[in-house]
Amino acid sequence: MVGVPGKYKGCNKTNQHLQCDNERPLCRKCLDSGRECAGYERETVFIIGTIEDQGRCSSHPPRVVKSKKSSGKQSSSKRSDDTGSFQLVANTPLRPAWDDLISVSCGGQTFQVQIAALFTPLSSVTRAYATDEDEGEQNRTIFVSFPTYQSPDLTPYPGEDEFQLFSQCMVHLAPPSESRGGQGTQTDSIFMFLYEHNNSITYNPTLPPWKDPSLQTSTVRRLGPSGFRQFPNHHFFARIYRPAAIWTALLSSTPTFLSSPEWQTTPYESHPPSPLDNLLSLLSLLPALFARFNSITSPDTPPTLSRRLLAQDLLSNMMDIELRLSAWFTSLPRSAFWIADPATLPYQPEIPFMETFAFRDTQTGLGLLFYWSGLVLLWPKMWRLYWVLFEAVIDGPIGVEVALSRKLAGVDPMRWGWKETRGVAESVCRGGYWVLQGAAQPDLVGWVVEVLDWFYGELPGMMTGWDEGVMVGGDGRLEMGWVRGLRERVQGRGRDIGEVVGGRGWVDYVSF
């Protein structure tokens, strides 16, 4: 599939009352008038090539004019040839995006397409186009050479830009002769997302739209929540962009626009949310709380009564999210996970986590890894906030008992201590290998690795002040070695997927 850009005629917001001055990157007329400049990208019309004609398309498809009633719907990909026009669409009933197999119709045939994704420096992907000697045209079918997979560095860093992710989607549809009854098997037909992103942690939610540069440069924010209701945009948003953006925000304690109600609901109006989607909605609320935590516990913040009240309010907010996370966990089936029989495992468990978990499916396993990882980040902050409440203040009476709210009175802070948090981190480790061996997106496990790396690195400091009798299990160095092994397995899984998808004929589908 290739994109045919529209005619060049100024930015997308100008009209007869406000002429575009064609200044790059944004129209000055729009900015000076306080309008949101939509940039100069023209809507792209996509042309699909099939296996039979090796990607060729003899003519441009007819222009589709959207009516006002259908303006919120995603346009389907079309082509025109001697067989007539057809669409590439997701078959109903629509399923959650996290299902690894999606049923699509193309040219009157049905395909079961495997969804996969891989972090890849897009500039290093090379394409070889076949040449049509008869017509002197370039075929739409391409053969892609992927660079050797390297797990990305996911460490957040302070930058001038907001989080940005760029993706290219390619499709390989296996011909009926390679599938069973016209239905592709799990690896016959593949919908592949290649993507890369920065780890910038800059975010300013106070800027109005016409002054916010990230709104102008981010494809996701420019399309808005309604732009991700239909396949394939929805799958890109739910499986690629949203997890990466939320985990970057969590690890950097930076608020994200994905926590707003419209971003949590509108993209799921067609494809229903899965339990994993619902969990990510809860996790998206935590970065803003983490930012408040950093402000309250900063050495530059004096220990005042005001600080104590802020800490009490924040701890109460965190307890509310903790309760909702617990409700998510209890909503899972009882058979969501169990201790695996070593004889049934395709891998060899390693010390110190010889008893590993198995899950009902990869999606459930990934959700539980995310759930436990969220608690690993949350609980140490709740522990620290609780003791802030009892620190002496410089503007209050001495020796007066701290008045706790009704919610905090009687709370046992030990449930957020390092021992309990360590137990949750161990659950992540015990499930990591199982989830990774079936993952179509190994980079998602990479975020879990970052959380474990942070926790076991901070563990010695968390245990400071405890006597030797309590420090059972060591200082985390053994676990750190295991985490390095998990990181290597993520890289190995990524290379395996690269080998599976290499050597196939693809068509470029869409870019974000």
Side-chain angles (χ1 to χ4, degrees), residues 312-332:
Q312 189 165 200
D313 179 65
L314 178 55
L315 182 56
S316 178
N317 294 157
M318 288 184 171
M319 290 175 64
D320 290 338
I321 301 299
E322 181 192 31
L323 185 62
R324 294 174 64 182
L325 287 170
S326 178
W328 177 90
F329 177 77
T330 56
S331 69
L332 298 177

Side-chain angles (χ1 to χ4, degrees), residues 38 136 269 278 366-367 371 481 487:
E269 291 178 349
N278 294 331
L366 183 62
Y371 165 73
R487 191 185 298 274

Side-chain angles (χ1 to χ4, degrees), residues 113-127:
V113 180
Q114 168 82 29
I115 302 291
L118 209 58
F119 186 100
T120 305
L122 300 181
S123 60
S124 64
V125 177
T126 58
R127 289 166 164 78

Side-chain angles (χ1 to χ4, degrees), residues 41-304:
E41 281 190 19
R42 305 255 75 81
E43 182 180 359
T44 300
V45 179
F46 290 100
I47 307 173
I48 302 177
T50 64
I51 299 297
E52 291 78 5
D53 61 14
Q54 296 185 321
R56 288 197 305 272
C57 183
S58 59
S59 62
H60 193 285
R63 180 183 178 188
V64 178
V65 180
K66 298 180 181 179
S67 65
K68 292 183 179 180
K69 290 183 179 180
S70 62
S71 60
K73 297 182 180 180
Q74 178 189 343
S75 59
S76 301
S77 303
K78 293 179 177 285
R79 81 155 202 181
S80 293
D81 59 9
D82 55 356
T83 62
S85 187
F86 68 90
Q87 296 180 336
L88 177 66
V89 296
N91 294 326
T92 56
L94 298 180
R95 299 286 302 158
W98 288 100
D99 288 6
D100 284 340
L101 286 177
I102 179 173
S103 175
V104 299
S105 294
C106 181
Q109 295 179 331
T110 299
F111 298 85
Q112 298 296 322
V113 180
Q114 168 82 29
I115 302 291
L118 209 58
F119 186 100
T120 305
L122 300 181
S123 60
S124 64
V125 177
T126 58
R127 289 166 164 78
Y129 294 84
T131 302
D132 189 321
E133 297 180 356
D134 296 332
E135 301 181 19
E137 296 179 352
Q138 197 176 52
N139 281 340
R140 305 314 180 192
T141 301
I142 60 174
F143 295 91
V144 180
S145 175
F146 297 95
T148 302
Y149 176 80
Q150 297 288 336
S151 54
D153 179 10
L154 302 177
T155 306
Y157 62 85
E160 297 180 356
D161 300 321
E162 194 182 357
F163 175 83
Q164 295 275 359
L165 186 147
F166 305 96
S167 177
Q168 295 177 358
C169 175
M170 304 182 304
V171 182
H172 170 82
L173 296 181
S177 59
E178 296 181 12
S179 58
R180 302 175 183 176
Q183 300 278 330
T185 61
Q186 192 165 7
T187 55
D188 285 338
S189 300
I190 303 177
F191 206 99
M192 187 73 183
F193 290 98
L194 303 178
Y195 69 97
E196 62 182 345
H197 58 77
N198 63 15
N199 300 327
S200 180
I201 61 176
T202 298
Y203 176 70
N204 189 346
T206 63
L207 287 176
W210 59 87
K211 291 185 178 180
D212 187 356
S214 63
L215 186 59
Q216 308 295 340
T217 59
S218 170
T219 301
V220 171
R221 296 189 67 185
R222 191 166 63 245
L223 288 176
S226 61
F228 298 96
R229 290 184 294 198
Q230 303 291 339
F231 169 84
N233 291 26
H234 175 75
H235 290 66
F236 160 76
F237 174 77
R239 296 187 59 139
I240 313 299
Y241 183 88
R242 193 174 186 235
I246 289 175
W247 278 109
T248 299
L250 283 166
L251 291 170
S252 61
S253 300
T254 306
T256 171
F257 68 91
L258 295 174
S259 64
S260 60
E262 61 270 20
W263 281 101
Q264 295 196 10
T265 56
T266 304
Y268 300 93
E269 291 178 349
S270 296
H271 291 266
S274 68
L276 182 50
D277 291 309
N278 294 331
L279 174 65
L280 287 169
S281 293
L282 293 176
L283 293 177
S284 71
L285 304 175
L286 290 177
L289 302 185
F290 290 176
R292 290 167 58 190
F293 169 85
N294 289 344
S295 176
I296 290 173
T297 58
S298 170
D300 297 330
T301 304
T304 62

